[in-house]
Amino acid sequence: MTDTPQTRIFADYMDGESARLIRVSLRVEGKAATGALWLELPDGKTPVRWALGELRRVPDQAEANSIMLRRAGDDPARLKVSDHDMATYLASICPNISRRDKTPSLWRRLTILTSAAVASVALIVFVLVPVLADQLALILPTKGEQALGDATYQQIRQALGKDANTAAWECNNPAGIAALNKMMTRLQVGSNLPYNIRLHVLDHKMVNAFALPGGHIVLFRGLLKDAKNPEEVAGVIGHEMGHVESRDPTRLALRSAGSIGVLGLMFGDFAGGAAVLFLTEQLISAQYSQGAEARADVYSQNLLAATALPSAPMGDFFLRLKSKYGDTTGLASHMASHPDLKGRADKARAADTVGDTFVPVLNAREWRDLQAVCK
Amino acid sequence: MENHTLKTDYAGKRGALFKLAIKTSLLTVLTLGIYRFWMKTRLRRFYWSAIRPGGIPLEYTGTGVEKLMGFLIAVVFLSFYIGIVNLLLVFVSFSLINSNLAAYALSFVGLIPIYFYAQYRARRYVLARTRWRTMRFGIEAAAWPYAWRAMLHWLATILTLGLLLPRQIFWLEKFRIDRTWFGDQKFTQEGRWTQLLPIAIHMYIGIGLTIAATAGLWISPASASLFLLSVPWLFFGFVHFQIQSFRFLARQKRLGANIRFVAEPRTWRVIRIYIFGGLLIWLSVLAVLVGLGLIVGLVVSRVGPEVFSSQNLQGMFADGTASKPLVVAASIIAYFAFFIFSGVLVQIFITMPKLAHYARTLRVLNTAELALIRQRPRDEMSSAEGFAEALDIGAAI
Ligand SMILES: [Zn+2]
C-alpha cells in the first residue's frame, strides 16, 4: 500500500497562514500523477493531501541535502524535507517536480510592455523633446544662444582631437585668417544677424562645414582643399549663415541636450562619454530637414546676390561633391548629406544673377593664403 | 511551545554558488544583458535560502519577469523625466546665466530625490518577496516621504562634516523599521540616536585628524604626513560605526509585543573578510592570467613562433584573415569575461562570507509568539525595483 521507506519520516510543514512550524510525518500513496503525499498532522487533525503531480521543488536552494516543496500555483504553504533519502525518493516519483508555474499570458504581456516602453521612449526622444526644443530655440535669448554655441564648439574641438587630451588644432596662419576676414566682411554686409559670425578653420581632413548656435561657423581644412575658388567657399559660408539665421543648430543642440540623458539612462554609465560623442556627431553631420537645407540655400543665394557674387560656383561645388562621394557619403559631410545634390546645384545656378563679371571675393594670392591657413 | 531562542545558521557552499554565478553570468552575456534580471533573482534565491533562522531558510519569491517589467516601466518614467527636465534645465541655465554649469548641477540635484525614492521602492519590493516560515515580510508604501527625509538628513550630515551621521542612520532606520511588517506583526525601532555616539568615536577622531591635517597644509606642507594616520583611522572608524550601529540597532528592534533580536557581527572579522577576499580575488585573476599565458606559450611552441611573427600578424590584418571587427569583438569579449569572472569572485570571496558572518551571529529571542503570527496580503508592486535597476543603484545581490 505504501512505498515510503519503512521508518516514519518527519518533515517541517508550514501552512502559509501562520508562522507555525508543524512537525508532520509523511506517507506516500501511489506514484506519479495519480499518487499523493499525505502529511499526517499531530494531535489527530485531518491529514493534508498533496497530489504528487502538483508537487514542485523550490529552485536554487543553497542546501543540497534537503528539499523544499511547494504546490503548483500561488499556495504559500511549504514542506521542508530534511531526510536525504526521502528527499531523493520524492524527487524521483513526482513527475513535474522541476516544472515552473506558468504566468498567464506572460509572453503577450511582455511583448505589449516592451513595445509600449520602446514606443514611449521613442515618442519622448523623437517627438516630445524635439517639439519642445524647437519652441525653446526660438525664445532663447541671444546671449544664451552664444554661450550655448561657445560650449558646444569647445566640446567639438575636443572630440575631433587626436586623443582625449588634445583639442583639434584651430588653424591660425595670419595671412589665411586675413583672407578669411576679408571674405567675411563682404558677406556680413548682406546679412541681418543679431551677432557677428565667428568663423573657425579646424585642421581636419573631412570635407565639411557646419554651423553652431550663436554664430559659430566651422570650416574644415578638407573643404578648403577641395574647393576650386573662393566663391565656392563663400557660398558654403552663406549656407551656414542661413542655418544660423533660422537657428537650426540651436534647435539641434537643445534636442541633443534632452536626448543625451535618456541615452545615458538606457545604456548605463559608460555611455556618459558616448553620449557626448553622439552630440558631437549630431552637430557635425547636422542632418537638418530638406526644408531647412533649402531655406539655407536660398539664404545663401540672396546673400551672394546682395554682395554681388555669383551663386553658380556653389552649384558646381555641390556637383563635384556628388561625383566624388555620391549622394550618401560615409564622410558625415553636412553639405553632401542630403540626396538630390543635383537639384540643389541646378537651383543655385538658376538663382545666379551675377554671371561671369564680378569683383572676386579674394584675389589669387589671398585665395592661396586661405587654402594654406593650416600651415 | 517552541524554543525561546532561535539561532541562525548559514548553509551556502562556495562550489554551488560558483556554479550558479558562472552559469547565470554567461547567460547574461549571451543575452546581451537581458538575463541579468534572472541572474539577480536566482542569486537572491540562493543567498536567501542559505540564511536559516531556527533551521528554516528564508525564501525569495521574486521573479526575473517581474524585474524586467519593472525595469521597462521605470525606463519610460525616467526617460520622460530626464529628457524633458534636462532640456528645460539647459534652456533655463543658458537663458539666465549664459552657462550650462547650473544645468549640470541641477540635473544632478534633480536625480537625488529619485535616487532615495528608488532605494525605498527596491527595499519594498525585496521585502514583499521575502518569506520566512511562509510569512511574507512587507513595508508600507512611503517612498516619497522617505526620499525627502533622507535628503534633509544627508544635508545635515554633510553640513556638519559627518558629525550628525549617527542621527541620520538612526532616524532613517527608524523610519523604515517602524513601517516594516512580518506577517500581521509590526516591527518597532526603539532606542535614541544619541546612544550611537559612543560607537562613532573612532569615526569622529578620524574626521578630526583629517580636518587638522587639511588645515595644517596652510601652515606647513609637512602636515600632509598626518594623512597617513588620519585616513586609515577615518576608514576604520567608518566601517566600525557601520557594523556596530547595525549591531546596536538590531538589539533595539522589536517584532510584535515581545520578539527581539541579537546581531553580533564583529568589525575586525568583516575587515578581514574584505582583505583576504580581495587578496584571493587578485590571486585567482593572476592564476587565470598565468594559465592563459602558459596555454598561449604552449600553442606558440607547438606551431612554431614564426606563425605569430609580426609580419605574419600584419599580413593577417591586411588580407582580412583577422579582420578589424574580429579583433574588436575579441577584445570586447575579453573585457566582459574579465568583469564577469571578477564579479563571480566577489560573490564567492566577499559577498558570501560577509553574509554568512552576519547570518551566523544573528539570534531571535522570545520566539513563543511566532506561532501566533498570521499571513499578510501580497504586495503586487508592478514596477518592482525597476527605478533602482534603471538608475543602477547597486546592491551586491
Ligand atoms: Zn545645410
Side-chain angles (χ1 to χ4, degrees):
Chain A
M1 192 199 86
T2 167
D3 294 321
T4 316
Q6 290 313 299
T7 47
R8 267 153 68 91
I9 304 293
F10 288 93
D12 292 314
Y13 173 60
M14 295 153 279
D15 60 9
E17 286 161 21
S18 77
R20 261 185 326 158
L21 195 58
I22 306 163
R23 205 69 182 147
V24 293
S25 78
L26 304 180
R27 182 162 60 82
V28 177
E29 179 190 88
K31 267 189 180 169
T34 53
L37 175 66
W38 285 94
L39 318 179
E40 315 263 11
L41 298 172
D43 313 328
K45 289 199 194 94
T46 325
V48 177
R49 180 184 188 272
W50 281 11
L52 293 183
E54 63 175 5
L55 283 191
R56 303 283 185 273
R57 175 213 302 267
V58 177
D60 296 324
Q61 297 294 292
E63 200 197 359
N65 284 330
S66 66
I67 187 171
M68 182 68 90
L69 291 173
R70 65 181 182 95
R71 295 165 72 193
D74 285 336
D75 186 354
R78 296 288 184 269
L79 182 71
K80 180 173 182 273
V81 182
S82 302
D83 182 275
H84 183 61
D85 293 338
M86 186 61 172
T88 320
Y89 175 68
L90 281 172
S92 71
I93 59 165
C94 296
N96 307 321
I97 192 97
S98 300
R99 189 179 287 182
R100 286 195 203 102
D101 284 342
K102 283 231 161 53
T103 324
S105 60
L106 168 69
W107 285 109
R108 210 173 61 92
R109 269 167 57 211
L110 251 185
T111 318
I112 292 173
L113 195 61
T114 310
S115 334
V118 170
S120 327
V121 172
L123 190 75
I124 291 161
V125 173
F126 296 115
V127 179
L128 220 51
V129 167
V131 165
L132 192 58
D134 290 354
Q135 296 307 311
L136 294 177
L138 293 179
I139 55 172
L140 184 64
T142 309
K143 273 252 156 56
E145 202 188 354
Q146 283 178 309
L148 177 62
D150 297 346
T152 33
Y153 175 62
Q154 290 312 327
Q155 244 169 23
I156 283 175
R157 266 189 71 195
Q158 212 51 251
L160 288 172
K162 288 199 177 60
D163 55 70
N165 300 319
T166 353
W169 179 250
E170 211 170 35
C171 301
N172 58 0
N173 185 298
I177 295 295
L180 206 57
N181 286 339
K182 184 183 169 194
M183 184 188 281
M184 210 49 240
T185 313
R186 181 153 170 191
L187 288 173
Q188 196 110 34
V189 172
S191 86
N192 50 351
L193 293 168
Y195 27 61
N196 284 328
I197 292 289
R198 278 166 292 173
L199 204 52
H200 315 274
V201 182
L202 289 186
D203 189 12
H204 199 284
K205 62 177 190 296
M206 213 187 280
V207 183
N208 201 6
F210 56 90
L212 293 177
H216 286 278
I217 291 178
V218 179
L219 303 176
F220 285 146
R221 168 169 50 79
L223 182 127
L224 293 177
K225 190 174 142 264
D226 264 23
K228 280 265 177 340
N229 54 54
E231 283 69 33
E232 291 185 357
V233 177
V236 169
I237 295 174
H239 173 91
E240 298 307 333
M241 286 167 75
H243 283 309
V244 170
E245 205 269 335
S246 46
R247 295 199 165 192
D248 292 331
T250 311
R251 267 186 207 112
L252 203 63
L254 285 179
R255 282 181 187 193
S256 309
S259 327
I260 273 184
V262 180
L263 284 177
L265 176 74
M266 299 218 272
F267 298 107
D269 291 338
F270 72 92
V276 173
L277 281 182
F278 170 77
L279 165 79
T280 315
E281 221 283 315
Q282 283 272 296
L283 284 166
I284 294 179
S285 65
Q287 306 268 354
Y288 302 122
S289 68
Q290 294 268 20
E293 292 304 335
R295 272 196 301 281
D297 281 352
V298 169
Y299 184 92
S300 178
Q301 287 145 23
N302 292 339
L303 188 68
L304 292 171
T307 49
L309 283 169
S311 52
M314 191 182 164
D316 300 341
F317 191 48
F318 282 158
L319 285 183
R320 236 181 12 263
L321 281 177
K322 183 181 161 73
S323 63
K324 199 164 175 187
Y325 304 110
D327 263 347
T328 47
T329 164
L331 275 177
S333 156
H334 162 203
M335 302 303 294
S337 68
H338 268 271
D340 195 29
L341 277 172
K342 170 91 170 64
R344 288 172 68 189
D346 290 345
K347 282 190 184 128
R349 284 182 169 155
D352 194 340
T353 54
V354 178
D356 288 338
T357 47
F358 57 91
V359 183
V361 66
L362 298 180
N363 63 33
R365 188 180 52 79
E366 288 164 337
W367 173 231
R368 274 199 308 277
D369 289 342
L370 177 56
Q371 285 193 302
V373 68
C374 293
K375 282 177 186 148
Chain B
M1 241 333 113
E2 294 186 53
N3 250 346
H4 280 276
T5 297
L6 290 183
K7 283 187 184 164
T8 307
D9 60 2
Y10 187 85
K13 295 267 190 307
R14 282 213 172 93
L17 176 64
F18 182 76
K19 257 181 18 204
L20 184 65
I22 280 277
K23 194 167 73 184
T24 51
S25 301
L26 283 177
L27 281 168
T28 299
V29 174
L30 291 178
T31 56
L32 304 174
I34 294 174
Y35 195 79
R36 73 173 186 275
F37 305 104
W38 283 266
M39 174 174 86
K40 272 195 178 174
T41 301
R42 297 187 64 180
L43 284 175
R44 271 188 198 156
R45 271 206 296 254
F46 180 91
Y47 281 125
W48 267 229
S49 74
I51 304 169
R52 308 192 309 166
I56 301 296
L58 295 177
E59 187 181 335
Y60 178 70
T61 59
T63 64
V65 174
E66 253 176 4
K67 272 176 81 74
L68 170 61
M69 291 193 178
F71 175 74
L72 291 174
I73 292 171
V75 161
V76 171
F77 277 99
L78 289 173
S79 301
F80 183 82
Y81 179 82
I82 291 176
I84 302 295
V85 168
N86 269 13
L87 175 56
L88 288 174
L89 284 175
V90 167
F91 174 77
V92 169
S93 168
F94 274 114
S95 299
L96 297 183
I97 64 163
N98 302 332
S99 139
N100 56 356
L101 282 179
Y104 284 140
L106 282 177
S107 80
F108 174 72
V109 170
L111 274 181
I112 294 177
I114 298 187
Y115 176 91
F116 291 118
Y117 171 83
Q119 213 177 31
Y120 191 91
R121 300 270 304 181
R123 188 187 182 91
R124 184 172 146 212
Y125 171 73
V126 170
L127 280 173
R129 298 294 178 271
T130 299
R131 293 184 201 163
W132 180 64
R133 292 195 178 188
T134 66
M135 291 299 101
R136 297 185 183 100
F137 285 83
I139 186 167
E140 290 158 23
W144 286 123
Y146 177 78
W148 77 262
R149 273 177 183 81
M151 279 170 66
L152 291 181
H153 277 296
W154 268 106
L155 191 66
T157 301
I158 290 168
L159 290 181
T160 56
L161 299 174
L163 286 185
L164 286 186
L165 185 66
R167 186 169 171 274
Q168 173 197 330
I169 295 285
F170 177 82
W171 282 109
L172 291 183
E173 178 76 351
K174 183 165 173 60
F175 183 91
R176 292 182 300 242
I177 291 301
D178 288 354
R179 285 162 183 76
T180 303
W181 295 73
F182 174 65
D184 61 353
Q185 293 298 305
K186 212 169 114 149
F187 282 90
T188 312
Q189 179 69 58
E190 297 171 342
R192 291 186 317 278
W193 76 270
T194 45
Q195 290 172 298
L196 289 176
L197 287 175
I199 300 169
I201 196 79
H202 286 294
M203 190 174 70
Y204 287 156
I205 293 174
I207 293 173
L209 286 174
T210 308
I211 292 173
T214 316
L217 285 181
W218 301 112
I219 302 159
S220 138
S223 77
S225 58
L226 190 54
F227 282 120
L228 290 178
L229 178 68
S230 80
V231 172
W233 205 318
L234 184 63
F235 176 76
F236 169 80
F238 185 70
V239 174
H240 181 72
F241 175 71
Q242 270 209 321
I243 295 164
Q244 297 310 313
S245 62
F246 176 84
R247 186 175 177 147
F248 172 81
L249 290 170
R251 274 185 184 272
Q252 303 291 327
K253 285 182 177 65
R254 175 162 56 79
L255 171 62
N258 264 323
I259 302 172
R260 295 199 162 268
F261 306 87
V262 175
E264 292 178 315
R266 293 186 299 279
T267 305
W268 280 111
R269 180 63 192 270
V270 175
I271 291 178
R272 225 163 58 208
I273 288 172
Y274 274 99
I275 292 175
F276 281 108
L279 220 61
L280 282 170
I281 290 171
W282 280 113
L283 284 177
S284 315
V285 169
L286 205 67
V288 169
L289 288 180
V290 168
L292 282 178
L294 284 178
I295 292 173
V296 170
L298 205 68
V299 170
V300 171
S301 71
R302 272 291 162 86
V303 296
E306 63 279 4
V307 177
F308 293 90
S309 69
S310 66
Q311 284 99 338
N312 217 325
L313 286 177
Q314 269 168 8
M316 280 163 79
F317 282 110
D319 66 10
T321 331
S323 58
K324 210 170 173 192
L326 202 77
V327 177
V328 172
S331 14
I332 290 176
I333 289 173
Y335 176 84
F336 276 114
F338 175 79
F339 272 93
I340 282 167
F341 185 60
S342 47
V344 170
L345 291 174
V346 168
Q347 298 278 345
I348 291 168
F349 290 126
I350 292 180
T351 314
M352 189 172 117
K354 203 175 123 191
L355 198 63
H357 177 59
Y358 272 83
R360 288 192 181 115
T361 51
L362 176 73
R363 276 175 289 148
V364 187
L365 312 181
N366 312 333
T367 55
E369 270 180 26
L370 274 180
L372 305 176
I373 295 179
R374 313 290 299 172
Q375 185 63 289
R376 61 183 285 102
R378 185 180 147 86
D379 182 354
E380 202 48 57
M381 259 205 100
S382 57
S383 70
E385 51 192 330
F387 285 92
E389 198 87 50
L391 291 173
D392 210 12
I393 296 175
I397 33 170

